[in-house]
Each structure stands twice: as structure tokens, then as C-alpha cells.
Amino acid sequence: MYESYLSCSLLQKCDVHKLDDAPATEVVLTREEGLQYYRIMQTMRRMELKADQLYKQKIIRGFCHLYDGQEACAVGIEAGINLTDHLITAYRAHGYTYTRGGTVKEIMAELTGRRGGIAKGKGGSMHMYTKNFYGGNGIVGAQVPLGAGVALACKYQERNELCVCLYGDGAANQGQIFETYNMAALWKLPVIFICENNKYGMGTSVERAAASTDYFKRGDFIPGLRVDGMDVLCVREATRFAADHCRSGKGPILMELQTYRYHGHSMSDPGVSYRTREEIQEVRSKSDPISMLKDRMLSNNMASVEELKEIDVEVRKEIEDAAQFATTDPEPPLDDLCNHIFSNEPPLEVRGTNPWTKLKSVS
């Protein structure tokens, strides 16, 4: 018989900035939660590895930024907020599209530019959306003011909701982020600013890019937390703490999740010219988010090796089925090219798309 829950007091303490309290280090993980987190993280990992394979086969083209290594960030954040809350991120967006309700099949088909993709095959890797998820965004840092706007809407409409606004360490030096901090603090917006610090903005280490690498203190007048972004429970507890802060009317809070990406910045970056293979392997062996959760569950008799292997087999099958769909589903027809420019407007003619035709856009 398995243990139904684990009372865990081994979480790493968060560093705090301008806060009297800190997230809990003694937390409860139920068996159901552990199995759910494991399945989601494995699905995200396998999906990204399959995307890597399809890209190398030239079935996926264009931009493609993979999330493997950072799964604990997405899963921990989602475990700490509600699906009625809002989330916006940069271009490393496949994982969040999945946690926000997209299916593996829709995500894979979007990557291959097929009609069954989550954006009808017209968005690709960087532009995926679901309910309360405002996408991957391709312009560095540009999603941060948009996220503050979503938080303003939550406050204006007096809904007890918040917006999680994600960006990377590379974007953290953008001026528009500091302008957004200022407005969010002045208006006490319910927004959690989260810097996913994966140590390298494109091919530049944080030490070479930033005079101060204490990203959780960058809000200055905004309180902050620095969290182990490789531990799903650390991220969950920190997010719950931050969400309570926002919902109580105290305004914005900033979180830095210290994480790591196994792939390069994008598929055009081999990822080993500015860091060594040994460094990547060391992170994999010592602080892989999936392995850490697996070891925690096995050592506390919350699951068996066989049970977790069964999940692995089911996940692999789901990924293979999705890849099959993503390589056989038809591409969107030309007539669909301009559709969904507006969400609720009557049909309009779109000029200039082709010198010989006028395409019609329908919402």
C-alpha cells in the first residue's frame, strides 16, 4: 500500500526582498498530486524531444524554442494559481500552452503548420493561445506590459483574478519591463512578474549580461522572491505565496525562478559553444526536475518504479500519436490565410495579400 501523502520539510528556503514572510518550507504533497505533476512534466519533456527530432527532419521549420529542463517552472506555477487566472509568456511557450489546456496533438500540429494546430497552423512555435493564455510572444520583453494590461483589466472588472507575467533573464534588462514595474506598483495591479532565469540569454551568460544578477531585487520597490526553479514544490509554494500577496490587494510581486534549459536558445543554437556538455550533464544528473520528483516519491513510498514506468509508456504513446497527426494533417487552405484577424467582426476583404486575389477574413 502506498503512502497517500508526504509531509515534506526539505524545501530550499527562498531568498526574499522587502518581505516580512516567506513561502512555506514544510508542505504536503499528496500521491495524486505527485503522479499528476510527474505525468505533466514527462509529457512536456517528451513533447519537446519529439519537436527536436521533427525539426532535424525539417518537418518543423522556422523558429522553435524548446522548454526541456524548465518543466518544474510551468507545472509549479500552475499548481499555485487557478485556471481562471491569466498567464502570458515569451516565445518558449509550448509547455505553458499545454498546462493552460492545449493538447499535445494541437501543439505538435501547430509546430508543423497544420490545420489542426492550436492557432490553425498559422502561429507556429512562438504564437500559441488558449483561454486565459495570451501566448508566446516573439518580441523580447514585449509581453510584460501586455500582462500588466491584463492585470489592470482584472482589477478594473473587480474579479478576484491575477496575471502571471513571464520573461527570461535576457529580457530582464529591457526598459519596458521597468516602466511596467512602475505602473503596476502605482496602480497596485494583481500581477506576478516571473523571471525564468535559465542562466543564458541566447548565448550570453547572466554574469556577462547583467551588472546585477539578483533579478528578484530588480523591482526595487516591488517585493521579490528567489526560488529553486528546478523543484516543482518550491515553485508551487512560492507561487501560492505570491498569489495570496496579489489577491490581498498589496499589488505586484516579483519572482526569480533559477532554472536551466537543456537545449540551446533555439534550434539554430547547438547550445555548446558558450557552455560545456559537462555543465549540462551535471545539471541533468544533480537537479533534473523530473528525476527530483521521481526520487522524492519513490523514497517516500508514494509510488512504485513500475507505476511510473507505466506513465512513461502512456506518455510516449500520446506523443507518437500526436506526431503522426502533426505529419499527416493537411496544411490550412489559402482561403483561411486571413481569417481570425478580429475575434468578432463581420467579414472584411483583406487587400494586398496577393496581386490577383482579394482574400476575405471571417472571425
Side-chain angles (χ1 to χ4, degrees), residues 234-306:
C234 280
V235 178
R236 184 187 75 178
E237 293 312 307
T239 306
R240 282 177 178 170
F241 179 91
D244 289 343
H245 177 96
C246 286
R247 293 193 213 280
S248 65
K250 294 177 185 173
I253 188 167
L254 201 159
M255 282 168 54
E256 175 191 345
L257 304 183
Q258 293 194 313
T259 185
Y260 199 83
R261 55 171 164 80
Y262 294 154
H263 270 85
H265 170 73
S266 68
M267 287 302 298
S268 60
D269 165 23
V272 290
S273 58
Y274 49 85
R275 60 181 182 175
T276 62
R277 284 189 172 84
E278 289 74 28
E279 176 186 309
I280 302 167
Q281 194 51 47
E282 186 178 8
V283 175
R284 278 184 185 276
S285 61
K286 290 185 179 175
S287 55
D288 180 80
I290 298 174
S291 299
M292 283 170 69
L293 177 63
K294 180 180 180 179
D295 293 346
R296 187 176 270 155
M297 293 187 72
L298 292 175
S299 62
N300 288 278
N301 194 33
M302 296 180 77
S304 67
V305 172
E306 293 72 28

Side-chain angles (χ1 to χ4, degrees), residues 289-349:
I290 298 174
S291 299
M292 283 170 69
L293 177 63
K294 180 180 180 179
D295 293 346
R296 187 176 270 155
M297 293 187 72
L298 292 175
S299 62
N300 288 278
N301 194 33
M302 296 180 77
S304 67
V305 172
E306 293 72 28
E307 191 174 17
L308 296 178
K309 275 185 180 168
E310 198 175 305
I311 291 174
D312 295 347
V313 170
E314 290 168 6
V315 166
R316 279 198 178 93
K317 183 178 187 316
E318 183 183 7
I319 302 300
E320 288 303 324
D321 290 348
Q324 177 68 22
F325 175 76
T327 51
T328 55
D329 191 48
E331 294 181 358
L334 186 64
D335 291 350
D336 282 358
L337 183 65
C338 297
N339 288 352
H340 309 112
I341 293 174
F342 298 104
S343 66
N344 56 359
E345 293 287 326
L348 68 146
E349 287 192 341

